[in-house]
Amino acid sequence: MTKLSVNINKIATLRNSRGGNTPNLVQSAIDIQEFGAEGITIHPRPDERHIKYQDAHDLKPIVTTEYNIEGNPIQSFIDLVLNVKPTQVTLVPDAVDAITSNAGWDTKTHQNFLTEVIAEFKRNNVRTSIFMDADLPLISAAAETGADRIELYTEDFAKQYALGNKKAIEPYVESAKLATDLDLGINAGHDLNLENIQFFAKNIPNLLEVSIGHALIAESLYLGLQNVINMYKYKMQ
């Protein structure tokens, strides 16, 4: 079964908007796991506008499922991951001023850099994943970096699916098949929601994990966090 990792960035955004500790990020992560999520994801950015670097340390002792830290591997991020040692690090090529992730890696241009960074993480027993577009040549190049997994960047699929274009799944299916042939595990994330998750999960072979934050938290405002987590799990069965 595909695992659901809940990205809690938006909970941190809400907390930071008032300058206190409400909602409590650590307690939220505890509750999310108790509600049935199989993982917690955070994506700290250099300006700490949502997840703060200290949050990564505070969450480590209470994440009893899978702990995934996403981010651009600048030196401060690398140092954070090596200190915290989460289950998984997902490398994302974010610009400093990016509102949200908006592209996967060019694994040909940045292959040497990614290979070095991934080797360091793997020496420290941290599973590695590369944020990727559904681009077959670049996925082939990703396999040469030594990464354990890729995370398919699903924004284009989500936009097209909302317009009724179910054929938008096809590049992702082919990417997943190639990744499997190359012995890369397959994760996915970005703009997946309750409307499209069932179709996506049903069609992507060997999908190990989805990381969902913005949509899940927004849906929870109406439907409740525990209920939404279990709705996702049911749709991915």
Side-chain angles (χ1 to χ4, degrees):
M1 186 183 297
T2 304
K3 291 183 177 180
L4 172 64
S5 185
V6 176
N7 185 316
I8 58 174
N9 278 24
K10 286 300 183 292
I11 295 175
T13 300
L14 184 59
R15 174 199 63 186
N16 295 351
S17 69
R18 288 294 292 267
N21 197 33
T22 302
N24 185 297
L25 193 74
V26 169
Q27 187 60 51
S28 296
I30 292 171
D31 293 339
I32 286 167
Q33 292 174 104
E34 290 182 352
F35 294 159
E38 292 100 351
I40 297 293
T41 291
I42 60 172
H43 189 145
R45 287 184 165 85
D47 61 6
E48 297 188 307
R49 62 180 181 267
H50 35 62
I51 293 294
K52 301 180 183 298
Y53 274 35
Q54 184 59 45
D55 292 329
H57 294 280
D58 295 343
L59 289 163
K60 177 63 185 292
I62 63 89
V63 178
T64 56
T65 55
E66 292 200 357
Y67 189 15
N68 174 46
I69 301 182
E70 301 179 340
N72 192 334
I74 60 174
Q75 191 59 53
S76 59
F77 178 85
I78 293 171
D79 292 342
L80 175 71
V81 173
L82 293 177
N83 283 328
V84 174
K85 291 186 171 63
T87 316
Q88 176 176 267
V89 58
T90 300
L91 307 181
V92 184
D94 280 337
V96 173
D97 59 349
I99 295 174
T100 186
S101 306
N102 55 21
W105 282 96
D106 180 342
T107 48
K108 291 183 178 179
T109 300
H110 301 286
Q111 186 165 102
N112 290 339
F113 170 70
L114 288 169
T115 299
E116 292 177 8
V117 171
I118 287 167
E120 181 66 17
F121 288 140
K122 293 180 76 171
R123 279 194 293 271
N124 284 270
N125 299 312
V126 179
R127 187 173 72 221
T128 57
S129 179
I130 304 177
F131 195 64
M132 297 289 307
D133 295 306
D135 182 307
L136 299 184
L138 293 182
I139 289 172
S140 294
E144 298 176 16
T145 66
D148 299 299
R149 298 186 183 186
I150 59 169
E151 179 176 326
L152 292 172
Y153 170 42
T154 50
E155 181 178 5
D156 186 63
F157 158 75
K159 285 183 176 179
Q160 292 300 314
Y161 184 85
L163 296 173
N165 179 16
K166 293 186 176 181
K167 289 188 176 181
I169 195 72
E170 292 175 0
Y172 297 88
V173 173
E174 294 305 312
S175 295
K177 288 178 178 177
L178 176 60
T180 298
D181 290 343
L182 295 171
D183 201 28
L184 288 167
I186 303 153
N187 299 340
H190 207 92
D191 287 350
L192 296 175
N193 58 38
L194 284 175
E195 296 298 320
N196 59 38
I197 189 62
Q198 187 170 43
F199 181 81
F200 186 84
K202 181 176 74 173
N203 283 281
I204 300 299
N206 305 311
L207 181 61
L208 298 174
E209 175 185 297
V210 293
S211 174
I212 305 177
H214 182 83
L216 188 151
I217 299 303
E219 290 156 345
S220 296
L221 293 175
Y222 288 92
L223 301 172
L225 186 57
Q226 183 173 8
N227 186 39
V228 166
I229 287 170
N230 283 282
M231 290 172 72
Y232 274 98
K233 293 181 65 180
Y234 176 78
K235 286 175 178 285
M236 290 192 294
Q237 285 180 359

